Amino acid sequence: MQEASAEAAADAGTVSIELDFKAFADHVPPTEHAKRAPGYGDPSLQDFADQALELATLRAELNRLARDHEILRQQALAREARLDVLRAELTATRTQLQKALRQSRDKGSVEEATLALETPLAVPQLVSLDHPGRPTVLTRDIVTIGRTRNNDICLPSTGVSRDHARLLVAPGSVTLVDASSTNGCFINDVRVTRQRLRDGDLVRIGDRSFRFELSLSAGAASAAPPSARPQDDCAA
């Protein structure tokens, strides 16, 4: 009798739980997950049901994130492939541009060389303003100017020193250098000790005046002597 009562009491304290775990499958929306109706006096069972529901929700969210991650990975791979194509195109374009620049540079050098050959060089010369006549063409690298015969340009004047000045002639430039003369050298009425001449400059050596010119005439150099010849009245 007591054993029957104990078994009945044990049966009365036992609760049978049946859960449909298919209700927590990944394809089932969380809102439709099965929830166990709370029973009176069994909070531990309610906690278990809540935890099972939360676990199923987290698994569904994890699967969703995994799918999103795979989509992003595929997009990243496609983007990287596109970048590889663009890099290859950029390299090819850069190579073509460098080749075009080299060809343009080479063509420009050829054109400059051709222009230099076709363009006659300017011939520097001094035109006397005191005694008009044939200009003195400056064809030597160094042209000496003074009162004595041993100078390339002899100026028989007491206002000119024996060794008065030098003209340094280089391709495209002529420089006047005063050789410590007494009365000095002037360019456009300004006394100078060393000055590069420009086309049209007025040059004064002591008391003698000249105009510096750059002649583009091809026959000027051949028609005129390389420098002024010593005059008879120049000092020895």
Side-chain angles (χ1 to χ4, degrees), residues 66-82:
R67 289 192 298 270
D68 291 345
H69 175 267
E70 181 62 21
I71 293 174
L72 292 176
R73 191 179 70 85
Q74 293 297 332
Q75 292 177 348
L77 291 176
R79 188 179 295 111
E80 187 64 25
R82 176 58 178 164

Side-chain angles (χ1 to χ4, degrees), residues 5-235:
S5 299
E7 292 177 358
D11 293 339
T14 301
V15 178
S16 178
I17 300 176
E18 293 183 0
L19 294 178
D20 183 8
F21 285 98
K22 293 183 178 180
F24 300 102
D26 295 338
H27 64 277
V28 178
T31 55
E32 298 181 8
H33 287 171
K35 289 188 178 181
R36 174 186 174 278
Y40 177 77
D42 55 352
S44 60
L45 297 178
Q46 180 64 46
D47 292 341
F48 173 75
D50 292 341
Q51 291 175 0
L53 179 62
E54 183 178 0
L55 177 60
T57 303
L58 292 176
R59 288 181 59 189
E61 181 67 15
L62 180 61
N63 289 333
R64 184 187 66 81
L65 293 176
R67 289 192 298 270
D68 291 345
H69 175 267
E70 181 62 21
I71 293 174
L72 292 176
R73 191 179 70 85
Q74 293 297 332
Q75 292 177 348
L77 291 176
R79 188 179 295 111
E80 187 64 25
R82 176 58 178 164
L83 287 176
D84 290 339
V85 173
L86 292 177
R87 291 190 190 99
E89 293 178 354
L90 178 61
T91 301
T93 303
R94 185 183 289 113
T95 302
Q96 293 177 356
L97 179 60
Q98 292 175 350
K99 183 178 179 181
L101 287 175
R102 285 194 299 269
Q103 293 176 349
S104 177
R105 236 183 263 117
D106 295 340
K107 182 180 179 181
S109 300
V110 172
E111 290 178 350
E112 290 176 0
T114 304
L115 182 62
L117 292 174
E118 293 177 351
T119 303
L121 294 176
V123 179
Q125 57 187 14
L126 286 179
V127 179
S128 176
L129 300 181
D130 302 318
H131 304 284
R134 188 167 55 182
T136 301
V137 180
L138 309 175
T139 58
R140 297 181 181 178
D141 294 338
I142 300 177
V143 179
T144 61
I145 304 175
R147 192 173 68 243
T148 59
R149 290 176 179 270
N150 59 343
N151 288 288
D152 296 319
I153 299 179
C154 178
L155 303 177
S157 172
T158 57
V160 178
S161 299
R162 297 175 65 86
D163 185 13
H164 199 105
R166 302 279 189 276
L167 288 173
L168 307 181
V169 183
S173 70
V174 176
T175 302
L176 174 64
V177 180
D178 190 354
S180 301
S181 63
T182 301
N183 294 322
C185 299
F186 296 81
I187 297 178
N188 299 323
D189 294 329
V190 177
R191 185 164 185 168
V192 298
T193 56
R194 185 185 183 96
Q195 179 68 42
R196 180 174 177 176
L197 298 177
R198 295 177 298 179
D199 188 27
D201 279 345
L202 298 180
V203 180
R204 181 153 53 90
I205 307 296
D207 59 353
R208 296 298 180 91
S209 299
F210 300 86
R211 182 175 64 253
F212 176 74
E213 294 181 353
L214 292 174
S215 174
L216 296 179
S217 174
S222 58
S227 61
R229 296 177 180 176
Q231 300 180 13
D232 294 337
D233 51 355
C234 282

